[in-house]
Amino acid sequence: MALNVNFLKFHTKNASETFLFYVFIIGGLFLVWYEAFHILPYYVNKGTTNNPNFHLFFAVWFAVNIFGNMYKMVSIDITGRHIISPTGDAPKGWKYCPECVKNRPERSHHCPLCDVCVLKRDHHCFFAGYCVGYHNHRYYVAMVFYISVAAIYGNIFNFEFVRDVKGELGIWGILSFLLPHVGFLLGGDDFYVTGITMLTFIGFLLLILFLWLLGIQINQILKGQTKFEAKKGITTYSVGLKRVLREIGGKNWFLILLNPWIPSDLPGDGTSFEKNETKTL
């Protein structure tokens, strides 16, 4: 799989993607600092944790896997330019793309934002400014998985700290998370408490968002579908969970959550796929 030499420019397609990309990168790095160098020292000083290295290990583990999978996802060629056919006769199931002026394989679709045909296109990831397809699907799934796990871990880890900062969480305390600026404007919370309240609210929203995205991926993997196929109710490629996992994660699919740099060759080139009507026992 060839590296996309323009991967450092991928987020410049439009202003909204540029904004979301920098929010993801800068916001993610800030959250690592917030958890490891603000909240964790608070617990150490308070004496409520006896093993800060345990939490530091997971902070680094989550960060390496989230940003590592993001990097791998956007640095891999998803187009299959070296195999997509020019105009003329093409294998059965291939379709003509008027934008690319080429024939494209089954399950491939043209992305209007990337302006290319993507092999086994799943969707366009706005946080990365890049499409998720055959060659980088494993990295997207792993990234969303680790963000979800980190969000669960962080929300639980932060609870005692937030309770200490906010005081006992009565009705007003709970409602203040929905409208954190109101307490500041009314003089009930100072700037620091308001900031912690806003970060807690954002952390909870991110938890819901990425659990939702992870749920979508799990559902599609169980059914052997891409996003387009899920919308259209296409089940042609539902050939069993193990085969689907191998198709996404490669021969070492059971190791891909350990590290984004673990090699795992995919079973094909993204142009042909096993179908359930030809499935063998």
Side-chain angles (χ1 to χ4, degrees), residues 24-262:
F24 185 92
I25 298 298
I26 298 174
L29 293 174
F30 171 78
L31 287 176
V32 172
W33 172 86
Y34 178 65
E35 299 291 340
F37 300 102
H38 186 71
I39 295 181
L40 182 56
Y42 174 83
Y43 287 146
V44 172
N45 293 331
K46 187 181 177 182
T48 54
T49 180
N50 296 321
N51 192 1
N53 291 332
F54 173 84
H55 298 291
L56 282 175
F57 170 80
F58 277 104
V60 173
W61 178 269
F62 292 146
V64 167
N65 277 282
I66 291 170
F67 291 115
N69 278 292
M70 162 75 97
Y71 168 79
K72 295 288 286 185
M73 183 177 76
V74 303
S75 62
I76 288 179
D77 179 23
I78 53 175
T79 66
R81 292 185 179 93
H82 60 294
I83 54 177
I84 289 183
S85 169
T87 57
D89 293 337
K92 182 180 179 181
W94 289 42
K95 296 181 179 180
Y96 179 72
C97 176
E99 289 84 4
C100 294
V101 198
K102 292 181 179 180
N103 293 311
R104 66 184 183 216
E106 57 181 317
R107 309 186 83 181
S108 299
H109 297 278
H110 187 88
C111 175
L113 294 174
C114 294
D115 196 27
V116 292
C117 281
V118 178
L119 294 176
K120 194 198 166 194
R121 182 177 186 267
D122 188 74
H123 70 285
H124 186 87
C125 177
F126 288 96
F127 287 103
Y130 207 66
C131 267
V132 177
Y134 181 75
H135 287 300
N136 66 351
H137 199 171
R138 68 168 270 193
Y139 302 112
Y140 175 79
V141 172
M143 181 183 73
V144 172
F145 170 80
Y146 271 108
I147 294 175
S148 300
V149 173
I152 294 172
Y153 189 101
N155 276 273
I156 295 173
F157 181 69
N158 296 352
F159 180 79
E160 182 181 343
F161 169 77
V162 174
R163 186 185 59 191
D164 289 351
V165 171
K166 295 280 293 181
E168 290 299 323
L169 297 177
I171 295 178
W172 165 247
I174 295 174
L175 291 177
S176 68
F177 288 105
L178 301 176
L179 299 169
H181 61 290
V182 173
F184 178 75
L185 294 175
L186 295 178
D189 295 332
D190 60 22
F191 185 79
Y192 177 75
V193 173
T194 301
I196 297 301
T197 304
M198 293 183 68
L199 287 173
T200 304
F201 176 67
I202 292 171
F204 182 74
L205 287 183
L206 290 175
L207 170 63
I208 299 301
L209 170 63
F210 283 99
L211 282 177
W212 174 64
L213 293 176
L214 181 62
I216 290 174
Q217 289 299 308
I218 292 174
N219 181 62
Q220 291 178 187
I221 289 171
L222 291 174
K223 296 179 179 179
Q225 297 173 319
T226 62
K227 185 177 181 180
F228 174 83
E229 292 158 359
K231 285 184 176 181
K232 298 296 183 179
I234 299 172
T235 58
T236 306
Y237 306 98
S238 179
V239 293
L241 179 59
K242 187 174 181 179
R243 287 183 173 89
V244 173
L245 290 172
R246 180 178 172 84
E247 182 181 280
I248 293 173
K251 66 178 182 179
N252 295 323
W253 59 267
F254 47 88
L255 298 176
I256 62 174
L257 290 179
L258 296 179
N259 191 287
W261 283 274
I262 290 178

